[in-house]
Amino acid sequence: MSEERYTEEHEWVRLEGDIAVCGISNYAQEQLGDVVFVELPEVGRVVAANDEIAVVESVKAASDIYAPVAGEVVEVNSGVEDDPEIVNRDALGEGWLFKIKLDDTSEASKLMDESSYEDYIAGLDD
Amino acid sequence: MSDHDPNAPLAETPLAALHMRLGAKMVLFAGYSMPVQYPLGVLGEHKHTRAAAGLFDVSHMGQASLSGPGAPEFLETLCPGDIAGLEIGRMRYTVLMNADGGIIDDLMVLRLADNAFHLVVNAACKNEDFAHIEAHLPADLSFTPRPELALIALQGPKAAETLATLAPGVDRLAFMQSAHASIDSIDTLITRSGYTGEDGYELSCANADIEKLTERLLSFEAVEPIGLGARDSLRLEAGLCLYGHDIDTTTSPIEAGLIWIIPKARRNAEAGFPGAARIAREIADGPSRRRVGIKPDGRAIAREGSAILSPDGGRIGTVTSGGFGPSAEGPVAMGYVPPAHAKVGTSVLLEVRGKQHPAQIVKMPFHPHSYYRGQ
């Protein structure tokens, strides 16, 4: 599976073997506006799904980012700490935030696929 | 300042329809539906204002007229500023004081004639301010709120040349001077003032004319509409207080670093404004806390409410405004600390989400003011 899966909190997950690459959706970065600060988790931290794991701040406000899946944080993207605007520029690519080694690789398949997520955000009030 | 009554109808300014056409994102502010940003975004709007000219709808603010014999002396019974000595056509920043020496609101006072003033107060405070003024008003003075007037601000290095093409001569006004002008037949009261640290103007005219005036200004290449988001980051970088956050009914002008608004002759307990005793005491003995600028060493943003700690970890104060400063190219904050920690260069810690981040007390503003002081 190389396509992204999404949470209702607007994180995305892309599986690379048993590693889940995670970030925030394009919709989320658009809603946040200009990202000026990203706080990432410690490598080695073990998280449950929905744990507060990172913070993305725009000029306007700070937003908590939740772990989309359970596992161990194995890598964080220090590039976005140095240049947070990458999250706006390329939320699904260079703007990834952290990688989680999955406890259970089937967990990600429970999240929304792209078309379900598009339906989901279409139903949200702006 | 009062919170908005959730049952009261949401007010809008006479520019509401224009904000919609311009693609603004609207938020609730002081009971009004106001643009927080336009498609350019907060960062872009902030930078545009510093580089060219930004246009702000500030029609939610309260405007009022005060006139009658002894009007300046009356204002001096409510405010610590020098109003009697204000030249006709000039404006001054001052505050309404309470009996405890706290600040009811900050406001602009423009002297139109010997005994006639135009006041501009904060949106969230206007009902209380007006009631306060009316409650103390001598019988022979007349006080009139002016809800039929709208207000916009044009701010930035290109504000003067832009406005001067419509109102010749306004580029020769100095900071805090005013003029009446007819712009495309719209009767406009112009002051060289603002809330961004930039050179610029505020323009008051009838609600019925404000959309036409605003669209005329927006027709210039240099001018972009700017929302409340950038208004806040601009004023924070300029080190300007936001009422209800950096100053309130508990903070004195001395604590807030606003001693410059009190003339020397009024810095005593007998000066005749509410709370004068506290002012005199704090000048003599020093206040228990001071408003300071704080620059975090790292990138983490300490927002309003963040704890300020001494290097040994003890809590010494609270951030009252904090955010990302686009022109300062990093986070900036202001807050109150005891005088022992208020010196420029003092190290402090800011607590953000349970973590302590090193920061320094710095001189404000975070971005230099560019007011036009005249030739």
Side-chain angles (χ1 to χ4, degrees):
Chain A
M1 189 178 91
S2 65
E3 68 184 33
E4 289 81 21
R5 294 270 171 168
Y6 293 86
T7 70
E8 292 189 356
E9 302 293 339
H10 308 287
E11 292 92 11
W12 59 261
V13 168
R14 190 166 51 233
L15 283 192
E16 293 175 354
D18 63 349
I19 304 291
V21 185
C22 307
I24 66 168
S25 73
N26 246 322
Y27 173 83
Q29 69 79 16
E30 278 171 17
Q31 292 295 308
L32 281 169
D34 306 298
V35 173
V36 292
F37 177 69
V38 177
E39 187 173 287
L40 297 174
E42 307 261 315
V43 171
R45 182 172 152 193
V46 175
V47 294
N50 303 319
D51 277 1
E52 286 177 13
I53 184 171
V55 176
V56 173
E57 290 201 46
S58 69
V59 186
K60 285 176 281 181
S63 296
D64 289 322
I65 307 302
Y66 303 94
V69 290
E72 181 187 342
V73 177
V74 290
E75 193 180 343
V76 298
N77 184 1
S78 56
V80 298
E81 290 179 309
D82 299 335
D83 182 9
E85 201 257 325
I86 298 172
V87 176
N88 295 115
R89 229 162 38 225
D90 191 9
L92 273 64
E94 291 293 307
W96 66 274
L97 298 179
F98 46 84
K99 295 181 182 179
I100 293 176
K101 187 171 191 300
L102 287 166
D103 295 340
D104 172 6
T105 49
S106 73
E107 199 184 353
S109 61
K110 294 173 194 154
L111 301 175
M112 290 178 273
D113 63 16
E114 191 175 335
S115 77
S116 307
Y117 179 67
E118 277 170 11
D119 291 344
Y120 170 70
I121 57 179
L124 294 176
D125 289 333
D126 190 15
Chain B
M1 185 168 125
S2 67
D3 289 321
H4 177 60
D5 174 359
N7 299 316
L10 186 60
E12 44 184 43
T13 77
L15 291 175
L18 179 60
H19 297 317
M20 285 298 128
R21 291 204 297 284
L22 292 169
K25 191 183 280 185
M26 306 298 283
V27 295
L28 176 69
F29 180 82
Y32 283 79
S33 172
M34 296 298 292
V36 65
Q37 67 173 87
Y38 297 88
L40 187 54
V42 178
L43 209 57
E45 291 170 27
H46 178 112
K47 289 179 174 169
H48 183 86
T49 304
R50 294 259 189 257
L55 192 144
F56 305 72
D57 179 12
V58 284
S59 300
H60 59 315
M61 298 189 77
Q63 300 182 72
S65 300
L66 174 76
S67 62
E73 291 73 22
F74 167 63
L75 282 172
E76 288 197 353
T77 68
L78 304 179
C79 306
D82 174 15
I83 310 297
L86 186 59
E87 279 173 48
I88 292 170
R90 281 207 172 248
M91 191 161 76
R92 187 155 280 166
Y93 173 75
T94 190
V95 295
L96 291 170
M97 300 280 295
N98 67 24
D100 302 327
I103 300 172
I104 295 171
D105 196 8
D106 57 347
L107 71 159
M108 289 292 192
V109 174
L110 168 62
R111 191 169 206 170
L112 298 169
D114 271 341
N115 281 317
F117 292 88
H118 183 80
L119 311 182
V120 182
V121 307
N122 280 300
C125 306
K126 62 184 171 187
N127 294 337
E128 284 88 344
D129 289 355
F130 293 170
H132 175 75
I133 292 168
E134 277 163 1
H136 292 85
L137 195 70
D140 53 349
L141 289 192
S142 150
F143 177 75
T144 317
R146 303 290 301 277
E148 78 281 12
L149 293 179
L151 191 67
I152 53 174
L154 184 68
Q155 302 279 296
K158 299 218 166 139
E161 63 183 70
T162 301
L163 192 59
T165 65
L166 300 178
V170 294
D171 50 336
R172 292 193 299 273
L173 293 173
F175 182 57
M176 298 299 243
Q177 276 185 325
S178 68
H180 284 276
S182 175
I183 299 176
D184 293 350
S185 302
I186 299 168
D187 183 29
T188 310
L189 174 60
I190 299 172
T191 60
R192 197 156 196 171
S193 65
Y195 191 49
T196 59
E198 295 299 315
D199 181 24
Y201 303 86
E202 293 196 348
L203 297 92
S204 171
C205 75
N207 287 336
D209 295 324
I210 192 68
E211 186 174 288
K212 187 178 153 202
L213 178 63
T214 304
E215 292 201 287
R216 185 75 182 87
L217 288 167
L218 288 173
S219 72
F220 289 86
E221 184 80 25
V223 182
E224 287 285 341
I226 311 295
L228 290 182
R231 182 169 160 82
D232 190 52
S233 56
L234 288 159
R235 72 89 199 166
L236 174 56
E237 283 186 343
L240 301 172
C241 293
L242 175 60
Y243 191 81
H245 302 260
D246 309 304
I247 48 175
D248 59 27
T249 53
T250 70
T251 57
S252 80
I254 306 303
E255 291 175 337
L258 300 175
I259 191 169
W260 59 272
I261 71 172
I262 311 175
K264 290 210 170 63
R266 306 201 77 202
R267 293 177 188 174
N268 60 72
E270 290 75 44
F273 60 85
R278 174 172 172 191
I279 299 300
R281 192 174 65 242
E282 288 182 349
I283 289 172
D285 304 341
S288 62
R289 55 181 178 169
R290 288 185 187 278
R291 183 173 63 97
V292 291
I294 309 164
K295 186 99 186 69
D297 296 349
R299 294 187 66 104
I301 299 166
R303 297 185 188 267
E304 181 180 1
S306 300
I308 307 171
L309 313 173
S310 63
D312 63 17
R315 182 162 185 162
I316 54 171
T318 305
V319 170
T320 52
S321 283
F324 181 79
S327 308
E329 297 182 326
V332 292
M334 57 173 94
Y336 283 84
V337 295
H341 298 275
K343 271 212 183 66
V344 168
T346 305
S347 294
V348 295
L349 299 169
L350 298 174
E351 195 167 274
V352 180
R353 293 179 290 273
K355 277 188 223 159
Q356 296 173 0
H357 299 267
Q360 310 292 322
I361 304 297
V362 297
K363 206 169 177 316
M364 286 192 283
F366 299 100
H367 183 83
H369 294 162
S370 354
Y371 303 138
Y372 178 72
R373 304 283 183 181
Q375 298 294 357

